[in-house]
Amino acid sequence: MGGERIVTAAVLIIGDEILSGRTKDRNGGAIAEHLTSIGIRLKEVRVVPDDEAEICAAVNALRSRYDYLFTTGGIGPTHDDITADSIAKACGVTIDVDPRAEKLLAENYARRGLALTPARLRMARIPAGASLIVNPLSGAPGFRIGNVIVMAGVPEIMQAMLEAVTPELETGDKVLSITIAVDRPESEIADVFSAHQQRYRDVAMGSYPRMRDGKPVSDLVLRSANADHLSEAAETLKAALGV
Amino acid sequence: MGGERIVTAAVLIIGDEILSGRTKDRNGGAIAEHLTSIGIRLKEVRVVPDDEAEICAAVNALRSRYDYLFTTGGIGPTHDDITADSIAKACGVTIDVDPRAEKLLAENYARRGLALTPARLRMARIPAGASLIVNPLSGAPGFRIGNVIVMAGVPEIMQAMLEAVTPELETGDKVLSITIAVDRPESEIADVFSAHQQRYRDVAMGSYPRMRDGKPVSDLVLRSANADHLSEAAETLKAALGV
């Protein structure tokens, strides 16, 4: 009968295009959903520009604080792709063309009848000591160094890399959730809801307002790793609200 | 003939529901686009949970580093809405029901034939010294304290507050951008593109790959506050690529 097993993570989204508003990030939300489903708790997300000092500072702040750090973006073939080099610097290791990554790229380009040019070979630059994360879509791999998992920014490729790396992640107790949709504005359920939170301190309770057919709905979300407590808290809340 | 006028900002998104993946954030991208359009440079985005210590730490890290900090989320009537109190704590000021905010709420609820209950009055808690940001949609105001602008999490209300506060923001030179879509994979334009970046150092150049009808397209994005340099760099890049 041990206590709750908690595994934490952060996400670092790297890219000027997100900060300019040109590209709307979808990776943060997709990683959040995936981590929740496998029992890893996402505690923080940051977005930083394609700037070595900014990437290094964020990588070091986040990898030391959480069990895992997932990064997206900046591992392509062009000059603005500086993630791999920045992470090598943050981790204090060298970086060079990795023979394993070169082989993956060479095979992928050969299959497509294309040459492995110097620009393409740039995508084989991997920090020393990292393991590779396969990319079934376009060949160029992601990598993992220590607790830092480095993935592409293109959502479809990021998703494939996230699935590829998942079997080797340590996971903790899953946070389960129950949502109770109440046809009343938040301000009308706030007192009952707050008293309920006081009563069940190990069940996190949040309220999220939305409109349905022009009328206010409050989604009351209860979350806990303890299925019994969660279920009891949800049933007693429904009774207290008469829903 | 002064130098470039640069005004910077960060965004802090507050909410467990974003980190769990239940709600997909749209505010970060919307604020990014708006700030770019008015001449404020978004340099960092963070997402943190509904936790006082986390909110305080992030607020203090970001408000001291950038000209503006925009926050979204956590200013509703329920017990999990702790943004206003956390920001008062971060800024070292007291917080109480604000007579101006109470008046706005009282008028709004009276118009809808509803009572200003204690739960609703919670949304009138405003840190000492803050100015209010009107909320034409649901009455409960946002606020500004120093360089920190505190807005709702519901996207439509956030957008209305962002527009309401915009006239009083200081802005700098707008970063202009030109996108050149090239029907080639990034790896085939990388060398020319990198050389071009070396030639025009005050024009930031990024490449963003996508697929169109199953074929790779590279969106080459050039950004600069100097319209003449930007235009020249774009024209010479097109010539160099033969597009």
Side-chain angles (χ1 to χ4, degrees), chain B residues 5-21:
Chain B
R5 286 174 309 129
I6 295 177
V7 177
T8 62
V11 166
L12 179 63
I13 293 157
I14 299 164
D16 292 347
E17 73 280 17
I18 307 294
L19 293 169
S20 75

Side-chain angles (χ1 to χ4, degrees), chain A residues 209, chain B residues 75-77 100-101 104-105 107-109 111-112 123 126 132-143 150-165:
Chain B
I75 61 167
R100 301 164 300 170
L104 286 175
L105 282 170
E107 287 167 357
N108 184 283
Y109 283 111
R111 231 181 356 258
R112 293 148 69 190
M123 293 187 284
I126 303 287
L132 301 188
I133 302 171
V134 295
N135 167 359
L137 279 82
S138 63
F143 60 87
V150 179
M151 303 185 292
V154 175
E156 295 72 21
I157 301 177
M158 186 288 294
Q159 197 69 46
M161 289 180 173
L162 188 58
E163 275 154 32
V165 81

Side-chain angles (χ1 to χ4, degrees), chain A residues 124-174:
Chain A
R125 288 176 66 78
I126 303 286
S131 56
L132 301 188
I133 301 172
V134 296
N135 168 359
L137 278 84
S138 63
F143 60 87
R144 173 178 172 173
I145 179 163
N147 65 339
V148 184
I149 291 141
V150 178
M151 305 185 290
V154 175
E156 294 72 20
I157 301 177
M158 186 288 294
Q159 196 70 45
M161 289 179 172
L162 187 59
E163 275 155 32
V165 82
T166 292
E168 65 183 64
L169 299 175
E170 287 194 40
T171 56
D173 292 338
K174 288 182 194 175

Side-chain angles (χ1 to χ4, degrees), chain A residues 183-185 210-217, chain B residues 112 137:
Chain A
D183 290 328
R184 284 176 233 165
R210 63 182 163 96
M211 300 298 280
R212 182 167 59 193
D213 303 332
K215 293 190 174 165
V217 174
Chain B
R112 293 148 69 190
L137 279 82

Side-chain angles (χ1 to χ4, degrees), chain A residues 16-17 20 22 24 33 36 45-47 54 65 79-80 120 187-188 205-208 219 221, chain B residues 17 20 22 24 33 36 45-47 54 65 79-80 120 187-188 205-208 219 221 223:
Chain A
D16 293 346
E17 75 280 18
S20 75
R22 181 185 180 278
K24 301 297 180 291
E33 204 165 357
T36 297
V45 178
R46 292 193 195 181
V47 186
E54 296 296 330
R65 186 163 184 207
H79 63 84
D80 56 320
R120 287 171 177 150
S187 52
E188 289 184 15
M205 302 187 191
S207 170
Y208 306 104
D219 281 330
V221 179
Chain B
E17 73 280 17
S20 75
R22 181 185 181 278
K24 302 295 181 290
E33 205 166 352
T36 297
V45 178
R46 292 194 194 181
V47 187
E54 296 296 331
R65 188 164 182 207
H79 63 83
D80 55 321
R120 287 171 177 149
S187 53
E188 288 183 16
M205 303 187 190
S207 170
Y208 307 103
D219 281 329
V221 179
R223 295 180 304 119

Side-chain angles (χ1 to χ4, degrees), chain B residues 40-97:
Chain B
I40 294 178
R41 302 185 193 191
L42 179 58
K43 307 297 278 183
E44 184 170 350
V45 178
R46 292 194 194 181
V47 187
V48 296
D50 298 306
D51 176 287
E52 185 183 87
E54 296 296 331
I55 297 169
C56 284
V59 164
N60 281 331
L62 298 171
R63 76 184 173 112
S64 62
R65 188 164 182 207
Y66 304 104
D67 295 319
Y68 291 111
L69 169 61
F70 296 83
T71 81
T72 69
I75 61 167
T78 55
H79 63 83
D80 55 321
D81 291 305
I82 61 169
T83 295
D85 283 77
S86 301
I87 285 175
K89 186 164 189 177
C91 294
V93 301
T94 57
I95 180 166
D96 208 337
V97 169

Side-chain angles (χ1 to χ4, degrees), chain A residues 186-239:
Chain A
E186 285 189 304
S187 52
E188 289 184 15
I189 53 81
D191 290 342
V192 169
F193 195 44
S194 174
H196 216 71
Q197 174 70 85
Q198 292 300 316
R199 183 172 160 195
Y200 294 92
R201 288 175 182 273
D202 67 338
V203 177
M205 302 187 191
S207 170
Y208 306 104
R210 63 182 163 96
M211 300 298 280
R212 182 167 59 193
D213 303 332
K215 293 190 174 165
V217 174
S218 300
D219 281 330
L220 307 184
V221 179
L222 281 60
R223 294 181 303 117
S224 175
N226 185 315
D228 293 339
H229 290 197
L230 179 64
S231 169
E232 185 192 320
E235 289 311 311
T236 51
L237 178 58
K238 281 197 258 184

